[in-house]
Amino acid sequence: MEKKNTWETYSSKQLKELEKINAQYRDFLDNGKTERECIDTIVNTIEKSGYRELESLIKEGAALKTGDKVYSVWMNKSIAMFQIGRKPMTEGMNILGAHIDSPRLDVKQNPLYEDGGFAYLDTHYYGGVKKYQWVTIPLAIHGVIVKKDGTCVEINIGENEDDPVFFVSDLLIHLAQEQLEKKAAKVIEGEALDIIVGNKPLLIDKKDKKKDEKEAGKEAGKEAVKAGVLDILKETYDICEEDFVSAELEIVPAGKAREAGFDRSMTLAYGQDDRVCAYTSMQAMLDSDVTDRTMCCILVDKEEIGSVGATGMQSHFFENAVAEVMNLTGEYSELHVRRCLAHSCMLSSDVSSAFDPTYASSFDKKNVAYLGGGMVINKFTGARGKSGSNDANAEYLAHLRHIFDKAEVNFQTAELGKVDLGGGGTIAYILALYGMNVIDSGVAVLNMHAPWEATSKADVYETYRGYKAFVEGASL
């Protein structure tokens, strides 16, 4: 089956809309480099469109009716959005579900140390990464530090032009003979991914204050550089070393999302897996009118490490939110919640691997996504013999084909790569446990899980259009 490149199908009006959507998407990426930042950005955006907080409505004893918009945030890392439809929720919802966590380096709880005249923060990588990709690039620190009195200090260092950045060092090529003989998985060990955060002893800053230089130097002792960093943290954020115990600090690539290519046809940015699908899912909800079925968008944490924990898809957060919403619509019972979930249709909004001609031998060219080919549908994911996958029914696929063709959405079907090379999973199999129809659908990504990933503007636009057509038209 041959299909045109999506760029060939657009009118001038669509091209303008495409550029608008992608400009907003780049802003979303820049403002949301962690789960917490994504949630803050999303809440600020959707409240302007009339969404109200579920918890507040519960306290008010409010009732929900057709057209009402409500959201529920869980632990500042996951969110569920609902727009109430005309039909009872027991007849099912149309659900978009993506994740907002991305591979990164996390700062450990006892991280700060000094060695060889450098101050370091000890890190633990999060998600599937090629560790060698994270050395010698500018890094930023994002996150929160919560002090014992409950005060939450927000940290965002490395994004502004006048901010310092941080980095992981690498061995110079002149001495790397033994290093280069190692396999790629071992060239950079996980324990070598500590970031350099300082090189200046405390006495340099203190020599003119109260004590003379000699006394200050004696006071600083053997860890004067570490002491200098702690002094800066105390003066700037009023935090001490012990506060790292109750901190969530994420190390991410520093810099803004950028247009890529002479033709500006692509976006190069950190965290596009899976924030590209999170953004398009949210925007599709915001731009959709009231429909027969209730529309829902779930954006969750922890997918990159198995969807575990209280903010991952395996928690009961989503099911609890559905129950609370149904209670406010006057439909709640345990049986009604089960019926609602079982009768729902879902697109597991997650990215797919894009064909890379440089590594063509890893892909089946007939069953792979191409940048510029439109929204991607993955009937199944998993590894090797479909292990760990959700495999969608043919009837559901036919229903989706009808929806997308009617809306003139450009889409392509794909697998992650050649059968025996590996694979991956999404949140699809977790929602399928309720008995609902689920399929993976999203944007093709080049350099997936690298510090800088690439997507096609056309694919972002088509995925937005596809998600909008789905929430407005699915009815299986």
Side-chain angles (χ1 to χ4, degrees):
M1 294 183 291
E2 295 292 333
K3 288 195 174 184
K4 283 186 176 182
N5 186 296
T6 301
W7 288 100
E8 300 176 39
T9 67
Y10 292 139
S11 65
S12 58
K13 180 181 178 181
Q14 287 177 310
L15 287 171
K16 288 180 180 179
E17 186 178 23
L18 177 152
E19 293 295 349
K20 180 181 177 182
I21 289 288
N22 277 275
Q24 293 171 345
Y25 168 53
R26 293 193 299 275
D27 287 341
F28 178 82
L29 289 174
D30 293 340
N31 292 321
K33 285 196 170 184
T34 70
E35 303 89 337
R36 290 174 183 266
E37 290 175 355
C38 282
I39 293 299
D40 287 345
T41 301
I42 291 163
V43 169
N44 289 337
T45 301
I46 66 178
E47 284 187 342
K48 294 175 183 177
S49 295
Y51 277 82
R52 294 180 292 168
E53 188 178 16
L54 177 61
E55 193 64 32
S56 298
L57 295 174
I58 293 171
K59 290 178 180 179
E60 294 171 10
L64 292 176
K65 61 185 184 303
T66 299
D68 283 348
K69 302 173 183 179
V70 60
Y71 73 89
S72 177
V73 170
W74 193 244
M75 296 185 179
N76 296 318
K77 295 180 183 177
S78 295
I79 188 170
M81 301 164 52
F82 303 86
Q83 180 168 301
I84 308 303
R86 300 183 188 94
K87 292 184 177 180
M89 289 183 66
T90 51
E91 296 190 25
M93 299 181 289
N94 292 339
I95 304 172
L96 298 168
H99 65 92
I100 51 176
D101 60 318
S102 294
R104 60 179 188 260
L105 306 180
D106 282 342
V107 174
K108 294 181 180 180
Q109 263 51 62
N110 184 22
L112 185 61
Y113 69 96
E114 181 176 334
D115 191 8
F118 294 104
Y120 291 88
L121 285 179
D122 199 356
T123 71
H124 191 137
Y125 64 89
Y126 173 97
V129 300
K130 291 181 177 179
K131 296 185 285 290
Y132 63 80
Q133 294 178 330
W134 287 78
V135 301
T136 72
I137 63 173
L139 299 171
I141 302 177
H142 292 242
V144 297
I145 298 175
V146 183
K147 301 198 290 186
K148 286 190 293 184
D149 64 1
T151 303
C152 183
V153 181
E154 294 187 5
I155 305 294
N156 185 334
I157 312 169
E159 302 296 349
N160 294 328
E161 288 295 325
D162 57 350
D163 278 355
V165 293
F166 311 92
F167 64 98
V168 178
S169 64
D170 192 14
L171 185 62
L172 66 162
I173 186 65
H174 309 76
L175 301 178
Q177 181 176 343
E178 291 183 357
Q179 182 192 46
L180 294 176
E181 292 174 356
K182 296 180 181 180
K183 291 184 177 180
K186 296 291 184 179
V187 168
I188 301 295
E189 300 280 358
E191 289 295 346
L193 288 175
D194 297 349
I195 64 168
I196 293 177
V197 297
N199 180 236
K200 183 180 180 182
L202 177 62
L203 62 92
I204 294 176
D205 288 331
K206 293 293 186 180
K207 65 182 180 180
D208 295 325
K209 297 181 181 179
K210 295 183 181 179
K211 299 182 180 182
D212 61 28
E213 184 174 344
K214 185 176 180 181
E215 288 180 67
K218 286 181 179 179
E219 186 178 88
K222 294 181 180 180
E223 295 190 327
V225 178
K226 174 183 173 181
V229 170
L230 286 171
D231 188 59
I232 292 169
L233 293 176
K234 180 64 176 177
E235 289 186 4
T236 308
Y237 301 102
D238 192 27
I239 57 176
C240 61
E241 185 172 6
E242 288 74 17
D243 290 328
F244 280 113
V245 172
S246 50
E248 290 182 358
L249 297 176
E250 302 180 12
I251 311 302
V252 300
K256 294 182 179 295
R258 301 287 297 274
E259 294 174 297
F262 284 118
D263 54 9
R264 299 176 180 263
S265 60
M266 297 169 285
T267 295
L268 188 69
Y270 164 71
Q272 298 200 72
D273 177 9
D274 182 37
R275 291 171 188 143
V276 64
C277 295
Y279 168 75
T280 45
S281 295
M282 175 195 72
Q283 198 60 49
M285 286 278 290
L286 295 180
D287 293 344
S288 294
D289 296 325
V290 178
T291 57
D292 286 341
R293 286 162 67 106
T294 292
M295 294 183 288
C296 175
C297 176
I298 326 163
L299 305 175
V300 294
D301 182 25
K302 298 292 190 292
E303 191 275 346
E304 296 294 358
I305 58 171
S307 296
V308 293
T311 54
M313 196 66 246
Q314 292 194 57
S315 79
H316 291 290
F317 152 68
F318 173 60
E319 185 179 337
N320 293 343
V322 172
E324 294 285 7
V325 170
M326 293 188 73
N327 191 50
L328 296 186
T329 62
E331 298 180 70
Y332 175 75
S333 74
E334 183 178 350
L335 180 59
H336 285 174
V337 172
R338 292 189 180 193
R339 286 175 178 170
C340 171
L341 294 171
H343 294 157
S344 293
C345 293
M346 180 185 180
L347 294 184
S348 173
S349 312
D350 210 338
V351 298
S352 188
S353 58
F355 178 71
D356 188 337
T358 305
Y359 304 100
S361 62
S362 296
F363 303 94
D364 171 5
K365 289 186 177 182
K366 302 185 305 300
N367 292 283
V368 66
Y370 291 85
L371 247 64
M375 182 177 68
V376 185
I377 295 176
N378 293 93
K379 185 177 186 293
F380 52 84
T381 53
R384 293 169 290 279
K386 299 187 180 181
S387 175
S389 82
N390 168 72
D391 198 342
N393 293 322
E395 292 87 348
Y396 187 41
L397 267 167
H399 182 57
L400 294 176
R401 286 175 59 201
H402 173 73
I403 292 170
F404 298 145
D405 285 348
K406 183 179 179 181
E408 298 183 336
V409 174
N410 294 293
F411 69 92
Q412 53 186 324
T413 60
E415 297 184 22
L416 283 178
K418 284 191 173 178
V419 173
D420 288 329
L421 283 186
T426 66
I427 65 173
Y429 76 96
I430 302 169
L431 276 299
L433 294 173
Y434 293 113
M436 69 177 70
N437 280 299
V438 186
I439 195 168
D440 286 295
S441 177
V443 177
V445 173
L446 200 64
N447 314 333
M448 191 188 297
H449 280 213
W452 294 92
E453 300 168 317
T455 56
S456 164
K457 287 181 178 180
D459 296 341
V460 173
Y461 178 56
E462 288 305 309
T463 300
Y464 155 75
R465 295 181 65 240
Y467 289 169
K468 187 173 183 292
F470 167 78
V471 292
E472 291 179 344
S475 58
L476 192 63

